[in-house]
Amino acid sequence: MSIDTACLREAIRAVYGEVARDPKKGYHFHTGPRYAVDHLGYAAMDLVDLPGCVTGSFAGVGAPLSLGAPRPGETVLDIGAGSGLDTFLAARAVGATGRVIAVDMTPAMLALGRESIALTGLEQVEYREGFAEALPMPDESVDLVISNGVINLSPDKVAVFREAYRVLKPDGRLQIADIVLHKEIPAAARDDIAIWTA
Amino acid sequence: MIEAAGFVDVQVAWRGRPFDGATGQSKADKFDTEGVNIRARKSQAGAGWPESLRKDAVAVLKGKGAYPVNPRGAAARKVVLLYL
């Protein structure tokens, strides 16, 4: 595979930057809280108190926290947090004694997330710029790694899982939602950035 | 891929079709695309899932198009192998 990683990242930033700025514009994927509830099984009551800037730009593909809630005081890492729907749900669960580190590579999402920290008062959340393949976290510092609809966008998924393993404490948990394909994409198409982002 | 990184107890807990009704549905259908929830654990010798999470079946969601898979994760290997 010879995908140009820098070009791919730029294309992804462009798409999700637009999602951050204009979540209702209409994309090839669904966005927003109604989608999260109707398609993915999020509880409407859990989302009701979150600001629109958190829920409106949600573009996940599953519900990682349905696999187990974080415990009070734990440290959670959200890889590719975006506007932070899962991030802020996790922040509620870990409480003031816990931490949620939200890593994202899209400046508009980082800005949105930081704005939402102020709006929600959930100061246990910290947004950090970084890549899934090189997480800005020390070894064995995290109890739970979550991610939603992000790893499929990485050209080096092995590196993402190795990084998740590195930052997790022994017996730490990985809970991800993502997309999988049951039919092979032709080899030539794998080098087409449009296939990755569409 | 997840196991190769060192994780154990890989389980697929939910599968659904997040692109249904979106403009990207036809392309998603072309490659039989699914959304999945997957969990795994970093190994620690002798330790299993914490008691609070030690269930054969984790919560199966009821989103549109969602359907449960073998809660023991038997489908996980196949699904992950086909990860783009």
Side-chain angles (χ1 to χ4, degrees):
Chain A
M1 187 164 58
S2 58
I3 189 87
D4 182 322
T5 300
C7 288
L8 177 61
R9 284 176 175 163
E10 245 350 278
I12 292 167
R13 280 193 188 101
V15 171
Y16 289 94
E18 196 65 22
V19 172
R21 287 183 289 271
D22 189 3
K24 293 183 178 172
K25 179 182 170 186
Y27 299 91
H28 63 274
F29 46 82
H30 293 293
T31 56
R34 192 73 257 163
Y35 156 66
V37 171
D38 289 348
H39 282 71
L40 307 178
Y42 281 79
M45 280 183 64
D46 289 344
L47 309 186
V48 108
D49 293 333
L50 291 175
C53 55
V54 170
T55 60
S57 296
F58 171 76
V61 297
L65 295 176
S66 70
L67 300 168
R71 303 171 194 125
E74 284 193 324
T75 297
V76 178
L77 170 67
D78 190 351
I79 300 177
S83 61
L85 190 146
D86 296 312
T87 302
F88 287 95
L89 291 177
R92 281 183 184 162
V94 300
T97 58
R99 295 175 72 207
V100 182
I101 311 299
V103 172
D104 208 280
M105 67 170 191
T106 301
M109 287 296 186
L110 293 165
L112 201 59
R114 288 167 180 151
E115 188 182 313
S116 299
I117 294 170
L119 282 172
T120 59
L122 293 168
E123 294 186 355
Q124 58 270 45
V125 175
E126 179 190 345
Y127 266 78
R128 291 185 188 176
E129 184 169 13
F131 299 117
E133 303 87 352
L135 295 167
M137 297 291 293
D139 295 355
E140 300 192 348
S141 58
V142 173
D143 298 289
L144 171 63
V145 169
I146 60 174
S147 184
N148 196 346
V150 170
I151 301 172
N152 71 90
L153 296 168
S154 170
D156 190 354
K157 295 166 183 57
V158 171
V160 177
F161 288 119
R162 281 187 185 146
E163 276 293 89
Y165 191 87
R166 177 185 66 79
V167 303
L168 277 170
K169 298 174 184 175
D171 218 29
R173 293 107 64 203
L174 174 75
Q175 297 177 189
I176 61 169
D178 222 308
I179 58 169
V180 294
L181 313 177
H182 291 282
K183 290 181 183 165
E184 288 281 345
I185 291 185
R190 288 177 180 236
D191 296 336
D192 181 357
I193 284 176
I195 288 280
W196 289 72
T197 55
Chain B
M1 195 181 290
I2 298 174
E3 287 174 339
F7 287 99
V8 296
D9 295 344
V10 180
Q11 298 176 333
V12 177
W14 174 88
R15 298 162 68 183
R17 305 194 79 86
F19 290 95
D20 279 6
T23 57
Q25 183 179 347
S26 61
K27 193 169 278 185
D29 288 346
K30 185 176 172 186
F31 297 109
D32 198 4
T33 305
E34 289 187 317
V36 292
N37 291 338
I38 300 173
R39 76 175 183 180
R41 190 173 56 79
K42 181 170 182 173
S43 60
Q44 184 182 60
W49 282 100
E51 191 57 43
S52 60
L53 296 173
R54 196 180 300 146
K55 304 175 193 172
D56 283 339
V58 297
V60 174
L61 302 177
K62 300 186 189 311
K64 262 181 203 164
Y67 52 93
V69 296
N70 180 342
R72 292 180 187 276
R77 187 178 300 274
K78 179 185 171 195
V79 167
V80 172
L81 280 174
L82 290 168
Y83 212 25
L84 174 64

